[in-house]
Amino acid sequence: MAVSDKERDYGPAGTGGAGLPAPEGAEITRRLHEVTRRLGEVQEAIGRVIVGQQEVVHQVLIALLAGGHVLLEGIPGLGKTVLVRTIGQVTGLTFRRIQFTPDLMPADITGTQVFDERGSGGAFRFVPGPVFANIVLADEINRATPKTQSALLEAMQERTVTVGGTSYPLPNPFFVLATQNPLEMEGTYPLPEAQLDRFLFKVNVPYPTAEELAVIAARTTGAVEPPVPALLEPHELLEWLELVRHVVVVEDIMNYAVRLVLATQPENPHAPERVRRFVRYGSSPRGLQALILGARAEALRDGRPQVVYRDVQRVAPAALRHRLILGFEAAAEGVTADDLVVEILATVPAIS
């Protein structure tokens, strides 16, 4: 039976939505268009500082819109730190940078109890660490020991920090944007799978083109630096985080995302042959959550109240690449997680 263009994008007519009913009315349409316009302004402002890397900027903004954390991977000097700082400036959110080193301790991140002699009778008080910010840049996160890396686990998952038996809530919204260098692995501590899984997206930062290199050199060695305006208020982003949850996902698109995640499991009989050969462990259920939240954010970014298949397909590499645990044979043959995600997208049909 022929499938119409509308069904290919939105799913068969009459399927139930996996979420709230589709928003209706002029007010919802206005809000959707406003989000699209404002995010376009944000991306344009970031582009005045960050040369190229439009897809990287887009994926990071989609992750923030979905309320998730991001792991940025790329060689040194590609502007990962500048990108995160610029996003903090443009969005009007508080920003803190933590430089991860082997001697960094958990208390250097979360904060600690100090004795206040000036208090009545003397007492301990909590001094918050740099994790108490809206956007936290964990720079070169794989250079710290596992004990220090784990200090971020509670913060990323629970949005709280526990010190001295007392839990302290983190600011809302709260995002961790971590960076790591894939080249210099000597003396590093690879992130455990449990912590990798807590990042909504893993975004690969590519090397700039020759034209972009020339613009970078001209822009960064001149006398005038481009201004970075604060375009948003934190309450606006909080409203958008709530609005994302109201974007409709129909049953067939939800099932498509489920099939994509199941296709990453090597023991699944419907997984591609190369997945069964090269993958030791596939995506966890958090991979499905990342697909759906990312697709909802993609739809909202485009001003649509409903997810289409291409939204899921666009976020799939960033949502799944760090959730595929490859075997030794994959490394020997030069097969990457991105290669396998591309194959999964090519072999799993959108319409079942």
Side-chain angles (χ1 to χ4, degrees), residues 184-252:
E184 299 174 358
M185 300 306 294
E186 185 176 352
T188 64
Y189 303 86
L191 288 173
E193 284 73 15
Q195 185 157 347
L196 276 174
D197 205 28
R198 282 169 168 80
F199 287 99
L200 187 81
F201 284 175
K202 179 184 177 183
V203 178
N204 293 332
V205 183
Y207 199 81
T209 64
E211 293 78 10
E212 291 169 348
L213 280 173
V215 176
I216 291 172
R219 185 176 295 180
T220 57
T221 60
V224 179
E225 293 186 0
V228 183
L231 298 179
L232 300 181
E233 296 289 340
H235 71 86
E236 291 182 270
L237 187 54
L238 289 174
E239 291 173 2
W240 296 350
L241 290 172
E242 177 65 23
L243 193 58
V244 164
R245 303 281 178 155
H246 291 256
V247 175
V248 174
V249 181
V250 298
E251 185 177 350
D252 272 50

Side-chain angles (χ1 to χ4, degrees), residues 286-345:
R286 283 198 185 100
L288 178 60
Q289 294 171 337
L291 280 176
I292 297 302
L293 279 173
R296 280 180 157 145
E298 279 281 355
L300 183 62
R301 172 67 178 83
D302 284 346
R304 290 180 279 108
Q306 183 172 326
V307 169
V308 298
Y309 285 106
R310 65 176 178 270
D311 295 327
V312 178
Q313 293 161 352
R314 184 167 187 183
V315 302
L320 297 178
R321 61 167 57 103
H322 56 302
R323 293 183 165 95
L324 300 185
I325 311 303
L326 306 185
F328 294 110
E329 191 175 358
E333 299 198 17
V335 176
T336 66
D338 280 342
D339 297 333
L340 298 175
V341 172
V342 169
E343 185 165 340
I344 289 169
L345 290 172

Side-chain angles (χ1 to χ4, degrees), residues 118-131:
R118 294 174 297 180
S120 55
F124 284 93
R125 62 182 178 87
F126 176 63
V127 178
V131 75

Side-chain angles (χ1 to χ4, degrees), residues 30 48 101 113 139 175 180 211 225 261 308 333 343 346:
R30 186 197 64 78
R48 298 173 195 163
T101 56
Q113 299 276 2
D139 218 355
F175 307 104
Q180 66 178 12
E211 293 78 10
E225 293 186 0
V261 171
V308 298
E333 299 198 17
E343 185 165 340

